[in-house]
Amino acid sequence: MKKYLFLLMIVCFLSNNLISQNKINLLNGKKIGFTSYITDSESQLIKYQFKCKKDNDKYRYLDMNDIFSITTNNYDSIIYQPIFEEELSIENMKYYVLGKQNALEHHKSWLWAAGGFFIGTGSLILPINNLIGLAIPISYSTTAGFMKPTPEKIASQLSDIPENEYFILGYQQNAKNKNLKSAIAGSAGGLVLSAAILTTIKLLSKE
């Protein structure tokens, strides 16, 4: 019995290790693990298989136009192919996607979420016009979407960065996206809290 359990543990370890080595690298910087995949050139779709938390095999589809490369056993198969002259070359896009991946992993945007929550909470509670109160968190979130880290800030966050301008551009793009999403989420949470507080105050005042 112990022998079979040991073999099962080895199989599970090898399976998880294989999935960790197999990645679909999307142009937006996200990575998707898979166990196997097939391509359909006619429909320009990739069907990939992955294991969910319940250890059941599931299948999903991806548009090949959204994929930069597919990594299998540490080997990269490039899917991205520039068509128009203004599109990035494969080499530049590689660094651009790498920058986006690093931003998703390392860029911290929780301060924008915290600020949004504080502003969202106060915007409806303060004695100001409701329209102005709503405009404040919207303006805050919009501002967050334009704020990007400097190359020096990026260098301080990463131990080693490529000397490539497209890596910086990719990092900055996803950093701005994270700032925007965090600010919106924080502001929305603050607005919900302020609305709950105002509703509670009104209900208590009627008693």
Short mmCIF file of all heavy atoms in Angstrom, two decimals, residues 8-46:
data_model
loop_
_atom_site.label_atom_id
_atom_site.label_comp_id
_atom_site.label_asym_id
_atom_site.label_seq_id
_atom_site.Cartn_x
_atom_site.Cartn_y
_atom_site.Cartn_z
N LEU A 8 2.13 7.15 -6.46
CA LEU A 8 1.12 8.15 -6.76
C LEU A 8 1.65 9.55 -6.49
O LEU A 8 1.41 10.49 -7.26
CB LEU A 8 -0.13 7.90 -5.91
CG LEU A 8 -1.31 8.86 -6.11
CD1 LEU A 8 -1.79 8.78 -7.56
CD2 LEU A 8 -2.44 8.52 -5.15
N MET A 9 2.41 9.70 -5.39
CA MET A 9 3.00 10.99 -5.07
C MET A 9 4.00 11.42 -6.15
O MET A 9 4.06 12.60 -6.53
CB MET A 9 3.70 10.93 -3.72
CG MET A 9 2.75 10.83 -2.54
SD MET A 9 3.60 10.57 -0.96
CE MET A 9 4.52 12.09 -0.85
N ILE A 10 4.77 10.47 -6.67
CA ILE A 10 5.74 10.78 -7.73
C ILE A 10 5.02 11.22 -9.00
O ILE A 10 5.40 12.20 -9.64
CB ILE A 10 6.63 9.55 -8.02
CG1 ILE A 10 7.54 9.27 -6.83
CG2 ILE A 10 7.46 9.78 -9.27
CD1 ILE A 10 8.40 8.04 -6.99
N VAL A 11 3.95 10.49 -9.35
CA VAL A 11 3.18 10.84 -10.54
C VAL A 11 2.58 12.24 -10.42
O VAL A 11 2.62 13.05 -11.35
CB VAL A 11 2.06 9.81 -10.79
CG1 VAL A 11 1.12 10.28 -11.89
CG2 VAL A 11 2.67 8.46 -11.17
N CYS A 12 2.02 12.54 -9.24
CA CYS A 12 1.43 13.87 -9.02
C CYS A 12 2.48 14.97 -9.11
O CYS A 12 2.24 16.03 -9.68
CB CYS A 12 0.74 13.92 -7.65
SG CYS A 12 -0.76 12.92 -7.55
N PHE A 13 3.66 14.68 -8.53
CA PHE A 13 4.75 15.67 -8.56
C PHE A 13 5.19 15.93 -10.00
O PHE A 13 5.36 17.08 -10.41
CB PHE A 13 5.93 15.17 -7.73
CG PHE A 13 7.15 16.03 -7.85
CD1 PHE A 13 7.24 17.23 -7.16
CD2 PHE A 13 8.20 15.66 -8.69
CE1 PHE A 13 8.35 18.04 -7.28
CE2 PHE A 13 9.32 16.46 -8.80
CZ PHE A 13 9.40 17.65 -8.10
N LEU A 14 5.37 14.85 -10.77
CA LEU A 14 5.80 15.00 -12.16
C LEU A 14 4.74 15.71 -12.99
O LEU A 14 5.05 16.52 -13.87
CB LEU A 14 6.11 13.62 -12.78
CG LEU A 14 7.34 12.90 -12.20
CD1 LEU A 14 7.46 11.51 -12.80
CD2 LEU A 14 8.61 13.70 -12.47
N SER A 15 3.47 15.40 -12.70
CA SER A 15 2.37 16.04 -13.43
C SER A 15 2.34 17.54 -13.15
O SER A 15 2.22 18.36 -14.07
CB SER A 15 1.04 15.41 -13.03
OG SER A 15 -0.03 16.06 -13.67
N ASN A 16 2.47 17.93 -11.87
CA ASN A 16 2.46 19.35 -11.52
C ASN A 16 3.67 20.07 -12.09
O ASN A 16 3.60 21.22 -12.51
CB ASN A 16 2.43 19.53 -10.00
CG ASN A 16 1.10 19.13 -9.41
OD1 ASN A 16 0.08 19.21 -10.07
ND2 ASN A 16 1.11 18.69 -8.16
N ASN A 17 4.81 19.37 -12.10
CA ASN A 17 6.03 19.95 -12.66
C ASN A 17 5.89 20.18 -14.15
O ASN A 17 6.35 21.19 -14.70
CB ASN A 17 7.22 19.04 -12.37
CG ASN A 17 8.54 19.68 -12.74
OD1 ASN A 17 8.84 20.79 -12.32
ND2 ASN A 17 9.34 19.00 -13.54
N LEU A 18 5.23 19.22 -14.83
CA LEU A 18 5.01 19.35 -16.27
C LEU A 18 4.11 20.53 -16.58
O LEU A 18 4.37 21.32 -17.49
CB LEU A 18 4.38 18.05 -16.81
CG LEU A 18 4.04 18.02 -18.31
CD1 LEU A 18 5.32 18.13 -19.13
CD2 LEU A 18 3.29 16.74 -18.66
N ILE A 19 3.03 20.68 -15.78
CA ILE A 19 2.11 21.79 -15.99
C ILE A 19 2.81 23.13 -15.76
O ILE A 19 2.58 24.10 -16.47
CB ILE A 19 0.88 21.65 -15.07
CG1 ILE A 19 0.07 20.40 -15.48
CG2 ILE A 19 -0.01 22.88 -15.14
CD1 ILE A 19 -1.06 20.09 -14.52
N SER A 20 3.71 23.16 -14.73
CA SER A 20 4.42 24.41 -14.43
C SER A 20 5.36 24.80 -15.57
O SER A 20 5.69 25.96 -15.73
CB SER A 20 5.19 24.28 -13.12
OG SER A 20 6.24 23.34 -13.25
N GLN A 21 5.84 23.80 -16.34
CA GLN A 21 6.73 24.09 -17.46
C GLN A 21 5.97 24.43 -18.73
O GLN A 21 6.53 25.03 -19.63
CB GLN A 21 7.64 22.88 -17.71
CG GLN A 21 8.64 22.62 -16.61
CD GLN A 21 9.47 21.38 -16.87
OE1 GLN A 21 9.15 20.59 -17.75
NE2 GLN A 21 10.54 21.20 -16.12
N ASN A 22 4.71 24.05 -18.80
CA ASN A 22 3.90 24.30 -19.98
C ASN A 22 3.07 25.55 -19.78
O ASN A 22 2.17 25.58 -18.93
CB ASN A 22 2.99 23.11 -20.28
CG ASN A 22 3.77 21.86 -20.65
OD1 ASN A 22 4.93 21.93 -21.01
ND2 ASN A 22 3.11 20.71 -20.56
N LYS A 23 3.37 26.59 -20.53
CA LYS A 23 2.68 27.86 -20.37
C LYS A 23 2.29 28.44 -21.72
O LYS A 23 3.06 28.38 -22.69
CB LYS A 23 3.58 28.88 -19.65
CG LYS A 23 3.99 28.49 -18.23
CD LYS A 23 2.84 28.56 -17.26
CE LYS A 23 3.29 28.24 -15.85
NZ LYS A 23 2.17 28.21 -14.89
N ILE A 24 1.08 28.99 -21.76
CA ILE A 24 0.67 29.80 -22.90
C ILE A 24 0.88 31.25 -22.51
O ILE A 24 0.31 31.72 -21.52
CB ILE A 24 -0.81 29.55 -23.26
CG1 ILE A 24 -1.02 28.08 -23.63
CG2 ILE A 24 -1.23 30.45 -24.42
CD1 ILE A 24 -2.47 27.72 -23.88
N ASN A 25 1.75 31.94 -23.23
CA ASN A 25 2.09 33.33 -22.91
C ASN A 25 1.25 34.27 -23.76
O ASN A 25 1.45 34.38 -24.98
CB ASN A 25 3.58 33.56 -23.17
CG ASN A 25 4.47 32.62 -22.37
OD1 ASN A 25 4.48 32.66 -21.16
ND2 ASN A 25 5.19 31.75 -23.06
N LEU A 26 0.29 34.92 -23.12
CA LEU A 26 -0.60 35.82 -23.83
C LEU A 26 0.03 37.18 -24.06
O LEU A 26 0.95 37.59 -23.33
CB LEU A 26 -1.91 35.99 -23.06
CG LEU A 26 -2.70 34.71 -22.76
CD1 LEU A 26 -3.98 35.04 -22.00
CD2 LEU A 26 -3.03 33.97 -24.05
N LEU A 27 -0.46 37.89 -25.06
CA LEU A 27 0.07 39.22 -25.38
C LEU A 27 -0.19 40.23 -24.26
O LEU A 27 0.51 41.23 -24.16
CB LEU A 27 -0.53 39.72 -26.69
CG LEU A 27 -0.09 38.99 -27.97
CD1 LEU A 27 -0.88 39.47 -29.17
CD2 LEU A 27 1.41 39.18 -28.21
N ASN A 28 -1.22 39.96 -23.43
CA ASN A 28 -1.51 40.89 -22.34
C ASN A 28 -0.65 40.64 -21.10
O ASN A 28 -0.80 41.31 -20.08
CB ASN A 28 -2.99 40.83 -21.96
CG ASN A 28 -3.43 39.46 -21.47
OD1 ASN A 28 -2.60 38.58 -21.21
ND2 ASN A 28 -4.73 39.26 -21.35
N GLY A 29 0.26 39.65 -21.18
CA GLY A 29 1.17 39.38 -20.07
C GLY A 29 0.75 38.24 -19.17
O GLY A 29 1.54 37.79 -18.33
N LYS A 30 -0.45 37.72 -19.36
CA LYS A 30 -0.91 36.62 -18.52
C LYS A 30 -0.33 35.30 -19.02
O LYS A 30 -0.02 35.13 -20.19
CB LYS A 30 -2.44 36.55 -18.52
CG LYS A 30 -3.10 37.73 -17.83
CD LYS A 30 -4.60 37.59 -17.81
CE LYS A 30 -5.26 38.78 -17.10
NZ LYS A 30 -6.73 38.66 -17.09
N LYS A 31 -0.18 34.35 -18.08
CA LYS A 31 0.32 33.02 -18.40
C LYS A 31 -0.74 31.99 -18.03
O LYS A 31 -1.37 32.10 -16.97
CB LYS A 31 1.60 32.71 -17.62
CG LYS A 31 2.73 33.70 -17.84
CD LYS A 31 3.91 33.33 -16.94
CE LYS A 31 5.02 34.36 -17.01
NZ LYS A 31 6.14 34.03 -16.08
N ILE A 32 -0.90 31.00 -18.89
CA ILE A 32 -1.90 29.96 -18.65
C ILE A 32 -1.20 28.60 -18.70
O ILE A 32 -0.55 28.27 -19.68
CB ILE A 32 -3.03 30.01 -19.69
CG1 ILE A 32 -3.76 31.36 -19.64
CG2 ILE A 32 -4.02 28.86 -19.46
CD1 ILE A 32 -4.81 31.52 -20.71
N GLY A 33 -1.35 27.82 -17.64
CA GLY A 33 -0.77 26.49 -17.61
C GLY A 33 -1.67 25.49 -18.35
O GLY A 33 -2.89 25.64 -18.38
N PHE A 34 -1.06 24.47 -18.92
CA PHE A 34 -1.84 23.47 -19.65
C PHE A 34 -1.12 22.13 -19.62
O PHE A 34 0.07 22.05 -19.31
CB PHE A 34 -2.06 23.91 -21.10
CG PHE A 34 -0.80 23.94 -21.93
CD1 PHE A 34 -0.41 22.84 -22.68
CD2 PHE A 34 0.01 25.07 -21.95
CE1 PHE A 34 0.76 22.86 -23.43
CE2 PHE A 34 1.17 25.11 -22.70
CZ PHE A 34 1.56 24.00 -23.43
N THR A 35 -1.87 21.07 -19.92
CA THR A 35 -1.28 19.73 -20.02
C THR A 35 -1.08 19.32 -21.47
O THR A 35 -0.15 18.58 -21.78
CB THR A 35 -2.17 18.69 -19.31
OG1 THR A 35 -3.51 18.78 -19.83
CG2 THR A 35 -2.20 18.94 -17.81
N SER A 36 -1.96 19.79 -22.35
CA SER A 36 -1.82 19.50 -23.79
C SER A 36 -2.61 20.53 -24.57
O SER A 36 -3.48 21.22 -24.03
CB SER A 36 -2.31 18.09 -24.12
OG SER A 36 -3.69 17.97 -23.87
N TYR A 37 -2.31 20.64 -25.86
CA TYR A 37 -3.07 21.57 -26.70
C TYR A 37 -3.01 21.12 -28.16
O TYR A 37 -2.12 20.37 -28.57
CB TYR A 37 -2.52 22.99 -26.58
CG TYR A 37 -1.23 23.24 -27.33
CD1 TYR A 37 -1.24 23.76 -28.62
CD2 TYR A 37 0.01 22.94 -26.75
CE1 TYR A 37 -0.05 23.98 -29.32
CE2 TYR A 37 1.19 23.16 -27.44
CZ TYR A 37 1.15 23.68 -28.72
OH TYR A 37 2.32 23.89 -29.40
N ILE A 38 -4.00 21.59 -28.93
CA ILE A 38 -4.03 21.36 -30.37
C ILE A 38 -4.40 22.68 -31.03
O ILE A 38 -5.09 23.51 -30.46
CB ILE A 38 -5.03 20.25 -30.78
CG1 ILE A 38 -6.44 20.58 -30.27
CG2 ILE A 38 -4.57 18.90 -30.29
CD1 ILE A 38 -7.49 19.60 -30.76
N THR A 39 -3.91 22.89 -32.22
CA THR A 39 -4.19 24.12 -32.96
C THR A 39 -5.10 23.84 -34.15
O THR A 39 -5.02 22.77 -34.76
CB THR A 39 -2.90 24.77 -33.46
OG1 THR A 39 -2.22 23.85 -34.33
CG2 THR A 39 -2.00 25.13 -32.31
N ASP A 40 -5.95 24.79 -34.44
CA ASP A 40 -6.82 24.72 -35.61
C ASP A 40 -6.51 25.94 -36.47
O ASP A 40 -6.95 27.04 -36.18
CB ASP A 40 -8.29 24.70 -35.18
CG ASP A 40 -9.23 24.48 -36.35
OD1 ASP A 40 -8.81 24.65 -37.51
OD2 ASP A 40 -10.40 24.11 -36.13
N SER A 41 -5.73 25.73 -37.51
CA SER A 41 -5.27 26.83 -38.35
C SER A 41 -6.42 27.53 -39.06
O SER A 41 -6.37 28.75 -39.30
CB SER A 41 -4.25 26.33 -39.38
OG SER A 41 -3.14 25.77 -38.73
N GLU A 42 -7.45 26.80 -39.40
CA GLU A 42 -8.58 27.38 -40.14
C GLU A 42 -9.35 28.37 -39.28
O GLU A 42 -9.69 29.47 -39.71
CB GLU A 42 -9.50 26.28 -40.65
CG GLU A 42 -8.90 25.43 -41.77
CD GLU A 42 -9.90 24.48 -42.36
OE1 GLU A 42 -11.09 24.56 -42.01
OE2 GLU A 42 -9.49 23.64 -43.19
N SER A 43 -9.66 27.96 -38.06
CA SER A 43 -10.43 28.84 -37.17
C SER A 43 -9.54 29.77 -36.37
O SER A 43 -10.03 30.64 -35.65
CB SER A 43 -11.26 27.99 -36.21
OG SER A 43 -10.42 27.21 -35.37
N GLN A 44 -8.20 29.58 -36.44
CA GLN A 44 -7.25 30.38 -35.69
C GLN A 44 -7.48 30.27 -34.18
O GLN A 44 -7.33 31.24 -33.44
CB GLN A 44 -7.31 31.85 -36.12
CG GLN A 44 -6.79 32.12 -37.52
CD GLN A 44 -5.27 31.95 -37.60
OE1 GLN A 44 -4.52 32.69 -36.98
NE2 GLN A 44 -4.83 30.96 -38.35
N LEU A 45 -7.83 29.06 -33.76
CA LEU A 45 -8.07 28.80 -32.34
C LEU A 45 -7.12 27.73 -31.82
O LEU A 45 -6.68 26.87 -32.57
CB LEU A 45 -9.52 28.35 -32.10
CG LEU A 45 -10.63 29.37 -32.34
CD1 LEU A 45 -11.99 28.71 -32.17
CD2 LEU A 45 -10.50 30.56 -31.40
N ILE A 46 -6.82 27.85 -30.53
CA ILE A 46 -6.05 26.81 -29.85
C ILE A 46 -6.92 26.22 -28.76
O ILE A 46 -7.49 26.95 -27.93
CB ILE A 46 -4.75 27.40 -29.25
CG1 ILE A 46 -3.73 27.63 -30.37
CG2 ILE A 46 -4.17 26.46 -28.20
CD1 ILE A 46 -2.41 28.16 -29.88
#
